[in-house]
Amino acid sequence: MLTTGRCPRRRKATYNVRTRQFIERAALSAALSLSLLGLGTSAAAADTSAPLPISSYRDMAVDAVHQRVFLSDPFGDSVVVTDYTGQVVKQISGADGAWGFALSGDSRTLYVALRDAGAIAAIDTVTLQETARYDTGTGAGAYAGPTSLALAGGKIWFGYSLDTWRGALGSLDLSGAQPVVTRNQALDTFRGSPRLAATAQAPNTLVATESDGNTAAVAVYDVGNGQADTQARRVDPGPDGCESLQDVALTPDGQQVVVACAAARYHQALRTADLADNGTYTTSGSPTAVAIDPAGTIAAGVYGPSSPDVHLFAQGNPTAYTAWDFPEPSDYADTTLVSGGLAWAPDGSRVFAVTETSGSSSLTLKVLNHPRVDTTVTVQAPASSPRNQDLTLTGKLEAPVGFGAGNTVDIWRIDDPMAGEGTLIGSASVAADGTFEYTDQPKAKGDVQYTVQYHGDTRHESAYGSVTVHVTSD
């Protein structure tokens, strides 16, 4: 027999079956109450909302190691640093036309595209001081300097403008004794400085997009050999085309590109291999931002005062499992998400959103806590198994949002369910898709119950599942 439900967080060497049965009934009652009230997966209100000392914005990077958020201020020539509650830690000046960011894999260095200096700056994330500046050789200014950065193929890639009508890709290689800049890649593809996206799990894949205000172009490159080798290219992608592209993101597995095109009423998904249509994420309003966390959860932001501003989706599911609607300060003012104004904390615990209020010249950083969603554990095992022989349990954690890597479940065994004592016999690693496996050698004959316990995390409620196996003689 299979059961599922929530479980207590406290771990013990043994537990009593009567206690467990009471917990099961209480958990089921609580779950039903939440379901009837419609509160099972409701989003928490924004924990914090802090004003920013800037009136321009282009990009955001989140440093999980030091719990810092970096925001670019291109027209104020600065980089603003906040903590995880949105409180300003420092405003770094002298960043001429600070536009796009790329954070090193070890979170030690933030690279900043300085459009108005024609350079890329390196900022130490501990001291918050600029430690180096690399000339890109592109020239400086609105139709020359670098604007977007991405780490791929062991290099820092940047998008820049050749002139008023053309854009290109360049790369900065810091692996040798001297920095090496390579320019003029992907020529005749973009009509302006391209926006870039990459993911650590697909290190040789680089996505570049551009929009001239009408139709957008999207391209995918293999940069593993040091050059941008075109794998796929498409103009005006999506079922209804893509006008005025606002943002782009690549899923962690590198299999899907998600774009926010202002003219649509959904976020479009494209298959990375060939940029064919690969589904949509239904939103209400004009798409203006997209960000994807390491577990594949998609945050899709829209511009529209009469609809939810930020929606969350499990990868591949077109329906949002929760959403936030920003409160309006008055009947005469609207609070809206800015273009490209979303970023995840790498652990998926919260979403950072940059907003603006009509009639105000300043911006605000909102911190949105991810709701703890209901989770289930299913467990499978043979109906019977010989004593002192390998018995393999398999199962899966399931929830509206992915689990990522690094999770474990505890395995309890009750050799005699009627006696009331259970023993913690081990733990099993959970794969990114939620599956797990554990092998035991039961000693006692008769019915043996196995209970798998997940203790929850910042995004998932605790849960358990059980299965009973009849153990026979050797």
Side-chain angles (χ1 to χ4, degrees):
M1 180 179 67
L2 176 68
T3 61
T4 61
R6 297 181 181 178
C7 61
R9 292 183 176 279
R10 184 173 61 184
R11 302 189 185 197
K12 298 173 64 178
T14 63
Y15 67 89
N16 185 275
V17 168
R18 291 183 179 178
T19 302
R20 176 180 55 77
Q21 290 173 340
F22 172 79
I23 291 169
E24 288 178 3
R25 289 194 297 268
L28 178 60
S29 176
L32 287 173
S33 297
L34 287 174
S35 177
L36 290 172
L37 290 172
L39 300 176
T41 59
S42 61
D47 274 356
T48 57
S49 182
L52 296 169
I54 56 177
S55 57
S56 67
Y57 164 86
R58 282 299 180 275
D59 201 6
M60 183 165 31
V62 182
D63 172 7
V65 174
H66 307 102
Q67 296 214 331
R68 296 285 186 260
V69 181
F70 297 89
L71 303 105
S72 68
D73 173 26
F75 302 129
D77 298 331
S78 74
V79 173
V80 173
V81 188
T82 78
D83 61 18
Y84 265 22
T85 68
Q87 297 302 308
V88 175
V89 174
K90 185 175 182 178
Q91 186 167 6
I92 305 171
S93 60
D96 305 320
W99 213 266
F101 291 145
L103 184 65
S104 64
D106 58 10
S107 290
R108 292 182 179 179
T109 306
L110 178 74
Y111 297 101
V112 186
L114 304 179
R115 189 195 69 170
D116 296 345
I120 297 173
I123 293 177
D124 187 302
T125 55
V126 175
T127 65
L128 302 180
Q129 300 288 331
E130 183 176 322
T131 59
R133 184 170 291 200
Y134 307 98
D135 190 341
T136 58
T138 60
Y143 300 107
T147 57
S148 183
L149 301 181
L151 301 179
K155 297 182 179 182
I156 304 168
W157 290 84
F158 58 90
Y160 68 102
S161 293
L162 293 167
D163 51 39
T164 307
W165 301 105
R166 297 179 301 154
L169 297 177
S171 64
L172 170 62
D173 188 353
L174 299 177
S175 62
Q178 297 295 326
V180 176
V181 173
T182 304
R183 295 182 299 276
N184 298 329
Q185 301 197 55
L187 297 177
D188 301 322
T189 298
F190 305 110
R191 289 166 291 184
S193 183
R195 184 191 295 261
L196 309 183
T199 178
Q201 295 180 35
N204 295 327
T205 299
L206 178 69
V207 176
T209 64
E210 66 82 29
S211 178
D212 63 355
N214 293 309
T215 57
V218 181
V220 178
Y221 302 95
D222 182 345
V223 295
N225 65 357
Q227 297 181 344
D229 294 330
T230 303
Q231 303 298 299
R233 180 178 181 272
R234 187 176 176 189
V235 177
D236 203 21
D240 301 305
C242 179
E243 295 183 11
S244 187
L245 186 143
Q246 302 293 304
D247 205 0
V248 61
L250 183 62
T251 56
D253 58 11
Q255 299 301 304
Q256 195 174 73
V257 180
V258 181
V259 293
C261 302
R265 285 297 182 267
Y266 48 79
H267 285 59
Q268 302 169 13
L270 309 171
R271 190 167 56 206
T272 306
D274 55 9
L275 294 178
D277 295 345
N278 197 219
T280 60
Y281 297 98
T282 304
T283 50
S284 52
S286 178
T288 188
V290 59
I292 306 176
D293 81 346
T297 308
I298 296 166
V302 300
Y303 177 90
S306 61
S307 61
D309 298 273
V310 179
H311 305 70
L312 296 188
F313 300 84
Q315 185 177 341
N317 190 330
T319 303
Y321 64 86
T322 195
W324 286 271
D325 193 2
F326 300 149
E328 306 301 340
S330 71
D331 292 338
Y332 305 100
D334 297 324
T335 297
T336 55
L337 185 71
V338 303
S339 177
L342 292 177
W344 280 96
D347 66 356
S349 62
R350 66 204 78 190
V351 180
F352 300 95
V354 180
T355 66
E356 60 184 353
T357 301
S358 58
S360 173
S361 60
S362 63
L363 301 174
T364 297
L365 180 61
K366 294 184 181 294
V367 184
L368 312 174
N369 281 342
H370 190 287
R372 288 172 61 87
V373 299
D374 286 337
T375 304
T376 60
V377 180
T378 56
V379 191
Q380 294 85 35
S384 63
S385 180
R387 185 178 62 173
N388 297 318
Q389 300 294 318
D390 284 352
L391 187 161
T392 300
L393 308 173
T394 60
K396 188 174 185 179
L397 305 181
E398 293 184 286
V401 58
F403 291 87
N407 294 292
T408 61
V409 291
D410 286 343
I411 314 296
W412 296 79
R413 185 182 66 215
I414 307 173
D415 292 322
D416 182 0
M418 298 305 296
E421 294 296 328
T423 303
L424 178 64
I425 61 174
S427 62
S429 297
V430 179
D433 64 355
T435 58
F436 59 85
E437 182 177 300
Y438 185 84
T439 299
D440 183 39
Q441 288 189 352
K443 308 300 182 185
K445 292 191 299 181
D447 287 342
V448 175
Q449 179 174 301
Y450 291 92
T451 295
V452 177
Q453 181 180 15
Y454 182 61
H455 292 273
D457 54 46
T458 56
R459 304 199 300 173
H460 301 87
E461 294 284 4
S462 58
Y464 65 87
S466 297
V467 66
T468 299
V469 179
H470 184 71
V471 178
T472 62
S473 300
D474 298 349

